[in-house]
Amino acid sequence: MRHFPIFLDLDGARVVVSGGDQAALAKLRLLFKTPARITVFAADPAPDLHALAHAGRITLIARAMEPGDALCARLFYAANDDAAEDARAAALARADGALVNWVDNLNGSQFITPAMVDRSPVTVAIGTEGAAPVLARRIKAHLESHLPSNLGVLARAGQAFRKAAEALPMGRKRREFWADYYDRTGPRAFEQNGAAALPRTLQNLLDDHLAAKPSAGHVDLVGSGPGDPDLLTLKARKLLDEADVVIHDRLVSPAILELARREAVLINAGKKGFGPAMSQEEIGRLMVEHAAQGAHVVRLKSGDPGVFGRLDEELDALNAAGIEWAICPGITAASAAAAQLGQSLTKRGRNSDLRLLTGHDVKGFAEQDWRALSRPGTVAAIYMGARGARFLQGRLLMHGAGPDTPVTAVENASRIKARVIASTLADLPADLEAAAPDGPVILMLGLAPRAAAAHLPQLQEELA
Ligand code: SAH
């Protein structure tokens, strides 16, 4: 992030614009949303600028910029539609100490103006650092259609009530009050009785919240899916939005952690397949400790929490402490890997059951029903199996599986760095060693990529 977004107070501030035509008028339209004092320098101003000057909206000085013209200006826009004049004006303004924007010249600018969605006092600023203006406009259009037009009215009424709401203790209780107002009570009151009803609504709501008993903490055990944030369920998203504390595993992708509230406490329980990590007791203790203090805890696990996630041990710890909990399922790695291969997990005539196996358990490489797994047509997703590939291969061949049985390793399924390593039972250990994956890997026994060469590069491009 080269450009750091901030919101600048322009109340009474001096803003100088150099330019007498369309580019300058476009900037003025934005600046008119603010209470800035605007001065425009233009050697040959367009009639619209004269009209604005007559209406008292700008001070118009009908000559080109000179040294000292931008003294005491907080912001300066070079908007002449003329590169030489813009360069000259920008240099003068910079010498005068103003922060400079040179329209359509990223490198000549000290700041850039974002695309905006205006529901004042709610303002959303969208920037792409000049990389993709079209994308910024698309995001803006998307937000415009999703943010209710009455948001500004609700927020203004809310703003006037902020002092009164301090009767509620800071943190969770106050947050719940505001969430109730913005999500439910406020929009409903506005719809029924208009803006005039909002102060009364806020007061009634505050009285209700002041009278309510302190809410007990609880824990949601939430599946974060295989990594692509778009594969998060709507419910998981909502819970992340509300959480006071998020305790997550190592495999939960950073893009998903970004979705937690900014004030939420993030704790990495960092369990590694083979390495050191926070013990199960510690995790249990942490969840109980925070929930007992009234916090909403999200225990975020990769994939589905009920698949090789040691869920039961955590539920036992919560039950022992009498803490309320709920499970929010997620998309497990096997589903994401199959999708990546363009294959289904079950198929008429091929396999009527699907096995989810772990390649290793507490005692090391895990023993399985090898005879059943060795039958032709078997499909099994083997979690944490990459290191045990040679062991798996030995057991399966010994029980009669064909050396040419397809086995496909999928690394980072659903993520930008997704990789598909198509192999067979005979070649698996060597192929894995050659590929040297460093992300999470799931082995799909009995599945080969569908139309591998044609299909996969395209899929990966889309994900990137
Ligand atoms: N609860 C998780 C599994 C946790 S065990 C789930 O339902 O997916 C951790 C193992 O899951 C990893 O060793 C790897 O085998 C697999 N895994 C998790 N995410 C993966 C991904 N994005 N791509 C491939 N394998 C993944």
Side-chain angles (χ1 to χ4, degrees):
M1 193 190 294
R2 177 171 153 200
H3 293 86
F4 184 68
I6 54 168
F7 288 94
L8 203 62
D9 184 0
L10 290 185
D11 193 8
R14 182 163 193 259
V15 173
V16 172
V17 177
S18 165
D21 213 340
Q22 290 312 314
L25 282 163
K27 287 300 166 213
L28 288 176
R29 274 193 291 278
L30 286 177
L31 288 167
F32 286 155
K33 292 172 180 288
T34 75
R37 291 182 298 117
I38 305 167
T39 303
V40 178
F41 289 89
D44 181 18
D48 283 357
L49 285 173
H50 283 294
L52 288 170
H54 280 133
R57 312 226 26 207
I58 59 171
T59 303
L60 179 61
I61 301 182
R63 60 164 170 79
M65 283 270 296
E66 288 171 10
D69 280 345
L71 280 173
C72 300
R74 194 155 295 164
L75 298 180
F76 172 80
Y77 285 90
N80 292 283
D81 267 338
D82 170 343
E85 181 56 12
D86 277 343
R88 195 187 70 83
L92 290 176
R94 203 170 291 156
D96 285 345
L99 211 52
V100 168
N101 174 269
W102 176 345
V103 173
D104 289 336
N105 186 327
L106 189 67
N107 288 325
S109 296
Q110 291 166 302
F111 74 94
I112 48 182
T113 319
M116 291 174 220
V117 180
D118 177 12
R119 300 281 189 278
S120 186
V122 179
T123 311
V124 185
I126 306 148
T128 63
E129 311 221 24
V134 174
L135 180 62
R137 278 197 292 278
R138 285 174 59 106
I139 297 172
K140 175 178 152 76
H142 180 77
L143 289 172
E144 290 281 7
S145 63
H146 277 75
L147 289 181
S149 53
N150 61 24
L151 193 64
V153 182
L154 289 177
R156 268 194 298 280
Q159 193 171 31
F161 200 73
R162 279 178 71 93
K163 198 94 204 116
E166 284 172 15
L168 286 165
M170 211 165 81
R172 186 180 165 75
K173 286 217 76 167
R174 212 182 285 173
R175 236 174 22 243
E176 280 174 358
F177 165 77
W178 286 117
D180 195 341
Y181 168 67
Y182 282 111
D183 293 347
R184 289 175 290 276
T185 323
R188 208 181 309 139
F190 181 78
E191 220 164 82
Q192 286 167 2
N193 301 309
L198 293 176
R200 182 81 248 141
T201 304
L202 279 159
Q203 188 58 53
N204 290 343
L205 189 64
L206 179 64
D207 293 343
D208 289 351
H209 277 251
L210 283 170
K213 286 205 296 299
S215 54
H218 65 284
V219 178
D220 283 297
L221 300 112
V222 178
S224 73
D228 176 356
D230 283 349
L231 293 180
L232 211 55
T233 62
L234 290 175
K235 187 163 187 176
R237 229 193 130 143
K238 182 170 145 278
L239 293 171
L240 269 177
D241 244 10
E242 294 167 356
D244 302 302
V245 179
V246 178
I247 305 175
H248 65 92
D249 285 347
R250 185 180 56 94
L251 278 182
V252 174
S253 65
I256 287 173
L257 294 176
E258 284 276 321
L259 300 172
R261 270 188 326 112
R262 201 173 344 163
E263 299 79 16
V265 179
L266 288 188
I267 302 172
N268 184 352
K271 288 197 297 186
K272 283 191 183 171
F274 285 76
M278 199 178 275
S279 72
Q280 221 32 69
E281 291 74 44
E282 277 174 277
I283 294 172
R285 211 175 44 242
L286 264 178
M287 289 192 299
V288 168
E289 187 183 300
H290 285 286
Q293 288 167 5
H296 175 188
V297 179
V298 162
R299 171 72 177 109
L300 196 60
K301 291 163 170 291
S302 74
D304 182 89
V307 177
F308 304 123
R310 302 185 71 174
L311 182 64
D312 299 80
E313 289 159 70
E314 298 185 5
L315 296 183
D316 288 346
L318 295 172
N319 281 340
I323 305 283
E324 296 227 357
W325 52 261
I327 298 170
C328 173
I331 294 181
T332 191
S335 300
Q340 196 96 53
L341 301 185
Q343 291 288 11
S344 63
L345 287 168
T346 60
K347 184 179 174 187
R348 273 184 170 200
R350 181 191 65 200
N351 63 315
S352 59
D353 69 358
L354 163 73
R355 285 156 194 262
L356 305 183
L357 316 177
T358 170
H360 82 103
D361 59 18
V362 276
K363 296 194 219 85
F365 296 135
E367 288 298 347
Q368 310 286 353
D369 181 354
W370 300 113
R371 193 171 303 281
L373 285 169
S374 302
R375 268 185 222 121
T378 294
V379 175
I382 305 162
Y383 293 71
M384 298 170 279
R387 284 175 194 232
R390 196 167 290 284
F391 169 81
L392 269 164
Q393 179 199 45
R395 286 288 197 278
L396 288 168
L397 290 176
M398 194 165 84
H399 287 81
D404 53 356
T405 305
V407 187
T408 308
V410 183
E411 180 189 11
N412 284 318
S414 89
R415 302 180 183 205
I416 290 173
K417 283 158 74 187
R419 189 152 62 128
V420 169
I421 304 152
S423 184
T424 59
L425 201 50
D427 297 333
L428 182 67
D431 285 349
L432 273 179
E433 202 177 319
D438 62 359
V441 173
I442 188 161
L443 303 179
M444 304 300 283
L445 173 69
L447 290 185
R450 187 191 300 269
H455 186 65
L456 290 169
Q458 185 197 343
L459 185 68
Q460 293 197 9
E461 219 168 75
E462 275 166 22
L463 282 166

